Amino acid sequence: MSSGSFFSWAALGILCTLLLAFIRVCRGPSAEDRLLGIQSFGTVGTAVVILLYLVEGSSGYLDVALVMAMLAAVTVITFTRILPGAGDVDPGEAPAPQSEPPAS
Amino acid sequence: MIVFDLLSALFICMGVFFFFASAVGLLRFPDTLCRMHALAKADNLALGCVILGAVFQQTDPLIIGKLLLIWVVTLLSSATGGFLLAQRIRRKHLAQQEAG
Amino acid sequence: MTTGLIFDIVLAFSLVVLAIITLRQRTPGESVVQLMIFGLLLALSWLRVDAPDLALTEAAIGSGVTGALLLAALHRTGFGTPFPSAVSPWIRYPVTIGCALLGAVLSLVVMYTWDQPAGLTDPAYAHLEESGTQNPVTAVILNYRGYDTLLEIGVLLVAALSVYTLSGPASGTPVKPPGPIFRFYMRVMTPVFWLVVPYMVWVGGRAPGGAFQAGALLSGLGALTLLGPTPWPLRLKRRVVRWGLSLGFSLFLVTAAWMWQYGNLLAYPTEQAATWILLIEIACTLSIGISLTVMFAGCAGWLHEDPERAV
Amino acid sequence: MPSSALIYTLAGIWIAVIGLRGVLAEEHVFRKIVASNIFGSGVFLVLVALARRAPDGPPDPVPHGMILTGIVVAVSATALMLALLGHLHDTDPDDREDSP
């Protein structure tokens, strides 16, 4: 098996795990679950691009992976920062909550 | 060079495995925080494996640097995004407790 | 059947399924999430058809900036309210059937005319030496078809100004101050963005990259900054923002006028082409980044708010 | 055997058609905006894949250039639509959800 073909298979395998994660995004149930899905898709997409880079060998692909890694977080951060019930502060500035979080 | 090729293949296989594990975790775990746990750990480890596998194929230090930069950026954004999401979930739980 | 082909089929099939699923979501928020995933997969598919330039832009815009824009707009109009039921079946079914027919006809046309040779590859490569850049896509947008790009930067300016005008006084609620973790993230990522954006402009002369990609990346930084802590862009005077908005378009116009002396608008002499292209690229990068950031702020309703947070 | 460009062209056509149906047959403005984004992406995908039609040699850079600018213009059009939607919401808050 040539190395290019091996990397293609690996990319295909990772793409399939992406589709598994996609089931979670469709099911939800909460908005946070879907956002987790997006975060996962960002990481996995970066990995697929890196593998495609190994197949094709053109250095532009690596820039794509870099941009993807940098901007995949923007959506998640936007979501957590501006949507209702989320715009509060990190613990460093928040008054410490009195009760422990539920052990779930 | 065959050693590097083998190492590279090994790491990429590990990466695929961990991606699979994280997808299964995301799919099967019972609640959001558990799923986040599966995702945040396994996904970044898997990306690290794939990048390490790719590094073994390279000789150009610039390319290796770029690959490592990608990993660092992903770790950082995933940590921040995960933290912000987890904080949001926890606050929601607390609000539910107070209400119930 | 090669692995690459299986990859393509899986990817293309999931793109189509994802498009359907995106439009069948119950609430706006859910459809935004699906659209982001769609954008990420689309970027992958563009790598598979040898368009890394586009994949770069799509990775920045499709999975980052569009999502931020849509979420910002939802911040203003409501996030979780379910969509109302669709329009009456008298419209829905005929439209669906018509669209399906259209798709079938187009597919058949494409399959029957597939073997006809594709257009302008040879002329585009033949003049690459004279164009002042080694990246054929950059040559197309800034040299061969400079008019198009000039007008498109104009469209961008008009759109940004419209968003600016439309965002009424004090409509959005500002975000709360960020905590230490997000501040740390921004402290590390801001220099990384400022490192990668110029690199993207520079690399656009030889490899995938250029003003549009760098501008999209810059707007990602802009959106993150608006959401977070770093004080300096927020303290920028409005005048700076306005100059930044119009910088790309004005420099493009000045170039076009300057080239009049050589006989044609935007026909650079061969030896000066590289310089002009670089200048225009830098200006356009700043303009695109600032325009998209202003649009983000406008969609969230932050433009004319309290002076601390107003752009 | 089909080439990958043909696969993506067909996928692009159907994505565009699905988006077009969404623009025409959906009630809610936000959903129309999402649908118009999908419609645009489908058209872009068709053009890029058609540029790759020749089996060997480099792809045609002219459609690439057009789409590169097109993506940025499309996102600014989306932003304009969203700003209009927000404006409608502000000026007419009573029936914002069902008939904006």
Side-chain angles (χ1 to χ4, degrees):
Chain A
M1 185 159 69
S2 75
S3 66
S5 156
F6 170 73
F7 296 137
S8 303
W9 276 111
L12 184 61
I14 295 181
L15 190 71
C16 291
T17 72
L18 206 74
L19 300 183
L20 272 184
F22 179 67
I23 299 176
R24 168 55 63 199
V25 178
C26 288
R27 271 208 213 144
S30 68
E32 285 81 9
D33 286 304
R34 297 170 205 276
L35 261 290
L36 271 185
I38 285 201
Q39 202 172 21
S40 157
F41 268 62
T43 318
V44 179
T46 312
V48 174
V49 176
I50 290 175
L51 285 171
L52 289 181
Y53 161 73
L54 290 178
V55 177
E56 304 278 337
S58 134
S59 72
Y61 284 45
L62 269 190
D63 295 337
V64 179
L66 184 59
V67 169
M68 212 178 246
M70 284 164 80
L71 284 191
V74 171
T75 319
V76 177
I77 290 175
T78 311
F79 173 86
T80 56
R81 293 288 298 162
I82 70 177
L83 287 174
D88 305 4
V89 289
D90 283 356
E93 294 184 0
Q98 298 304 310
S99 55
E100 285 297 306
S104 48
Chain B
M1 284 305 111
I2 188 89
V3 181
F4 280 171
D5 276 351
L6 280 180
L7 272 177
S8 165
L10 178 71
F11 275 113
I12 286 176
C13 286
M14 273 168 69
V16 175
F17 170 74
F18 280 118
F19 272 128
F20 182 70
S22 95
V24 170
L26 189 64
L27 205 57
R28 300 287 305 166
F29 277 1
D31 73 17
T32 316
L33 284 173
C34 294
R35 287 175 208 137
M36 175 179 288
H37 163 87
L39 192 81
K41 288 197 171 65
D43 253 11
N44 292 316
L45 180 62
L47 185 69
C49 288
V50 169
I51 283 179
L52 212 57
V55 164
F56 282 121
Q57 297 283 317
Q58 307 298 328
T59 46
D60 185 354
L62 262 178
I63 301 246
I64 294 178
K66 213 189 268 177
L67 281 167
L68 294 180
L69 178 66
I70 291 171
W71 193 36
V72 171
V73 165
T74 312
L75 280 180
L76 200 63
S77 13
S78 144
T80 311
F83 170 77
L84 289 172
L85 266 181
Q87 185 190 32
R88 196 185 147 90
I89 297 164
R90 175 162 167 265
R91 200 163 281 140
K92 212 155 100 180
H93 282 174
L94 288 179
Q96 274 169 1
Q97 270 188 343
E98 271 171 34
Chain C
M1 186 176 275
T2 63
T3 329
L5 210 56
I6 301 175
F7 186 90
D8 291 335
I9 291 172
V10 172
L11 189 55
F13 186 71
S14 30
L15 273 172
V16 176
V17 172
L18 204 55
I20 297 175
I21 291 177
T22 308
L23 289 177
R24 295 189 60 86
Q25 295 299 311
R26 265 185 324 109
T27 65
E30 289 165 15
S31 61
V32 173
V33 171
Q34 306 286 356
L35 190 68
M36 292 306 91
I37 293 172
F38 180 78
L40 265 172
L41 287 188
L42 197 65
L44 291 184
S45 77
W46 281 349
L47 280 181
R48 292 292 304 163
V49 282
D50 284 346
D53 273 293
L54 299 176
L56 266 177
T57 321
E58 182 69 31
I61 286 187
S63 58
V65 180
T66 309
L69 275 174
L70 291 166
L71 287 175
L74 288 180
H75 174 52
R76 208 165 146 193
T77 60
F79 178 69
T81 328
F83 288 121
S85 56
V87 287
S88 75
W90 291 105
I91 301 178
R92 204 160 19 124
Y93 289 119
V95 166
T96 310
I97 293 169
C99 287
L101 283 178
L102 180 68
V105 170
L106 284 176
S107 309
L108 285 178
V109 168
V110 163
M111 285 200 276
Y112 276 106
T113 59
W114 188 252
D115 293 327
Q116 290 176 9
L120 293 163
T121 317
D122 296 337
Y125 276 87
H127 296 278
L128 200 54
E129 299 252 311
E130 311 160 28
S131 69
T133 171
Q134 290 157 28
N135 177 0
V137 179
T138 308
V140 168
I141 60 177
L142 289 178
N143 199 328
Y144 308 149
R145 295 177 66 92
Y147 288 118
D148 273 13
T149 315
L150 170 66
L151 292 178
E152 266 152 347
I153 297 287
V155 168
L156 200 64
L157 177 65
V158 170
L161 289 180
S162 315
V163 173
Y164 207 96
T165 318
L166 277 171
S167 68
S171 45
T173 35
V175 293
K176 300 270 169 44
I181 291 183
F182 187 45
R183 276 210 303 264
F184 174 77
Y185 172 77
M186 287 304 293
R187 218 165 34 230
V188 179
M189 283 307 281
T190 311
V192 174
F193 270 95
W194 282 117
L195 190 72
V196 178
V197 168
Y199 165 75
M200 211 51 94
V201 177
W202 171 77
V203 85
R206 293 167 295 107
F212 284 82
Q213 293 87 337
L217 203 55
L218 195 59
S219 66
L221 176 64
L224 282 177
T225 314
L226 284 178
L227 290 169
T230 325
W232 70 260
L234 302 180
R235 299 273 154 75
L236 281 180
K237 297 280 177 288
R238 291 221 179 129
R239 189 173 295 162
V240 178
V241 171
R242 287 180 194 162
W243 274 106
L245 277 179
S246 51
L247 182 67
F249 190 61
S250 6
L251 189 75
F252 228 133
L253 273 185
V254 168
T255 318
W258 185 259
M259 291 306 145
W260 192 272
Q261 57 172 315
Y262 300 107
N264 261 322
L265 290 176
L266 282 181
Y268 324 102
T270 307
E271 65 274 17
Q272 293 176 14
T275 322
W276 282 109
I277 285 182
L278 187 66
L279 274 180
I280 291 179
E281 285 215 81
I282 294 172
C284 286
T285 303
L286 289 175
S287 278
I288 292 168
I290 293 177
S291 303
L292 292 177
T293 310
V294 164
M295 288 173 196
F296 175 73
C299 285
W302 290 338
L303 271 179
H304 299 293
E305 250 227 314
D306 63 304
E308 276 295 301
R309 201 151 269 281
V311 178
Chain D
M1 192 163 86
S3 68
S4 53
L6 179 60
I7 294 170
Y8 286 117
T9 312
L10 293 179
I13 287 173
W14 285 100
I15 290 166
V17 165
I18 291 162
L20 182 63
R21 185 221 171 256
V23 173
L24 294 176
E26 296 290 347
E27 175 106 14
H28 195 282
V29 175
F30 189 82
R31 205 179 234 181
K32 275 185 199 283
I33 295 175
V34 170
S36 72
N37 259 304
I38 291 179
F39 182 40
S41 304
V43 174
F44 292 155
L45 187 56
V46 172
L47 277 173
V48 184
L50 282 180
R52 192 75 203 88
R53 206 158 25 153
D56 39 358
D60 190 351
V62 178
H64 285 192
M66 285 161 58
I67 293 162
L68 187 55
T69 50
I71 294 174
V72 176
V73 170
V75 78
S76 62
T78 308
L80 184 53
M81 289 192 270
L82 290 172
L84 283 168
L85 177 64
H87 195 64
L88 271 173
H89 174 87
D90 287 348
T91 50
D92 196 10
D94 289 337
D95 56 352
R96 60 192 174 229
E97 294 308 343
D98 38 17
S99 58

